[in-house]
Amino acid sequence: MAQKFVESILVMGDSVAKGVVFHPEKKRYVFSKDGFIRKLKSILRPSVHDFSKFGTTSDYGQQLLSEKLTDLNPDLVLIEYGGNDCDYKWDEVAEDPMAVHLPNTPIRVFEDNILRMVQSLKKLNKIPVLMNLPPLNAASYFRWFTKNDPQRAHNILKWLHDVSKIYWWQEKYSYTIEKIAQATGVHMVNVRGAFLRHPQYQALICEDGIHPSEAGQALMEKTFVDYIEKHAAYMMA
């Protein structure tokens, strides 16, 4: 980040960047008042424009990027996708577990999408910053999307074979982000590592198994602050 003075930041991502958490009392998703992007907005000198959106994938991000580059002309772009890209249409899996099912974004397409965004930003002398994926809790997520329905769980497991495969599959997408960062020489904030260093990282994930909790959002904020202080301390207010 030191090679260019950053005055404006564009955030593109999904519900993780948007600060969505599952409220245990209200039993629904809410936007956290302490989401890590919202907190960073309050402590960084550059202006932060957050266009992350619940449910989006890298396909959406790639389309949005060109539009927002024209509208906002940011100096730095944070790219946070992958959680929805790697997910499956579980209703379809439950209905026909013997069929071939593909993730929302096949991993090769996901890799191409992220790489194209990084390359396009570098060509325009913008600073791309990637973020890998917080780990999920496979057992909790399986319970969540099978909806406590034994027959649904049976059908999905017939296709899935092993609940732990959910973690492994999501990890491949996170590794793809890391691989792109290394190959292109761009900044990557290792939030996954921060979670996994926690003695019980599952405590940092909501009961749905996939969204970081309030504590998880706080950990992501700290991870970003530590990274910024190390690489671009001038950005701190």
Side-chain angles (χ1 to χ4, degrees):
M1 296 182 205
Q3 71 268 31
K4 179 179 178 179
F5 192 82
V6 175
E7 294 183 340
S8 61
I9 298 171
L10 168 63
V11 179
M12 301 199 323
D14 54 31
S15 53
V16 172
K18 201 65 180 176
V20 172
V21 297
F22 186 78
H23 196 289
E25 283 80 37
K26 295 180 179 178
K27 296 297 179 184
R28 61 180 174 85
Y29 289 112
V30 298
F31 294 107
S32 170
K33 295 178 180 178
D34 295 316
F36 81 99
I37 294 298
R38 182 175 293 189
K39 296 289 281 187
L40 289 175
K41 276 186 177 183
S42 68
I43 60 176
L44 293 181
R45 291 184 185 277
S47 58
V48 178
H49 307 277
D50 182 11
F51 284 89
S52 51
K53 185 178 180 182
F54 192 101
T56 53
T57 66
S58 59
D59 287 333
Y60 172 86
Q62 192 172 208
Q63 296 170 14
L64 182 70
L65 180 60
S66 57
E67 174 189 332
K68 294 306 172 187
L69 285 177
T70 301
D71 291 349
L72 299 171
N73 192 29
D75 300 307
L76 182 152
V77 179
L78 171 63
I79 299 170
E80 180 275 313
Y81 292 108
N84 295 307
D85 291 271
C86 72
D87 206 12
Y88 286 84
K89 296 177 175 62
W90 297 112
D91 289 343
E92 295 179 8
V93 176
E95 187 175 330
D96 188 359
M98 303 310 292
V100 174
H101 297 282
L102 297 176
N104 292 328
T105 311
I107 195 162
R108 295 301 179 194
V109 177
F110 174 72
E111 182 173 7
D112 187 57
N113 286 346
I114 300 297
L115 185 57
R116 286 188 183 201
M117 284 190 273
V118 167
Q119 290 174 334
S120 66
L121 289 168
K122 292 184 76 174
K123 284 180 182 177
L124 294 171
N125 197 31
K126 309 294 184 185
I127 302 173
V129 176
L130 300 179
M131 166 183 157
N132 59 3
L133 304 181
L136 53 73
N137 183 333
S140 292
Y141 188 41
F142 182 76
R143 287 193 296 270
W144 182 262
F145 66 68
T146 54
K147 305 174 182 178
N148 294 317
D149 182 337
Q151 186 59 53
R152 180 180 171 88
H154 173 78
N155 287 355
I156 291 176
L157 198 55
K158 188 183 294 185
W159 175 81
L160 191 61
H161 299 298
D162 190 328
V163 172
S164 65
K165 185 179 177 182
I166 301 168
Y167 182 97
W168 165 78
W169 183 244
Q170 190 241 22
E171 186 176 48
K172 288 180 68 173
Y173 280 69
S174 187
Y175 173 70
T176 296
I177 296 166
E178 296 171 20
K179 184 174 69 172
I180 291 170
Q182 185 173 22
T184 57
V186 303
H187 292 277
M188 191 210 73
V189 183
N190 185 11
V191 299
R192 192 179 191 88
F195 274 74
L196 294 179
R197 284 191 294 273
H198 192 277
Q200 279 195 314
Y201 83 84
Q202 295 90 342
L204 304 174
I205 308 294
C206 293
E207 66 180 84
D208 66 357
I210 51 174
H211 286 92
S213 64
E214 297 282 4
Q217 287 284 333
L219 178 61
M220 288 191 290
E221 178 198 348
K222 182 182 185 306
T223 305
F224 268 82
V225 168
D226 289 348
Y227 193 91
I228 293 166
E229 287 182 337
K230 180 178 179 180
H231 296 278
Y234 72 87
M235 288 171 54
M236 301 298 296

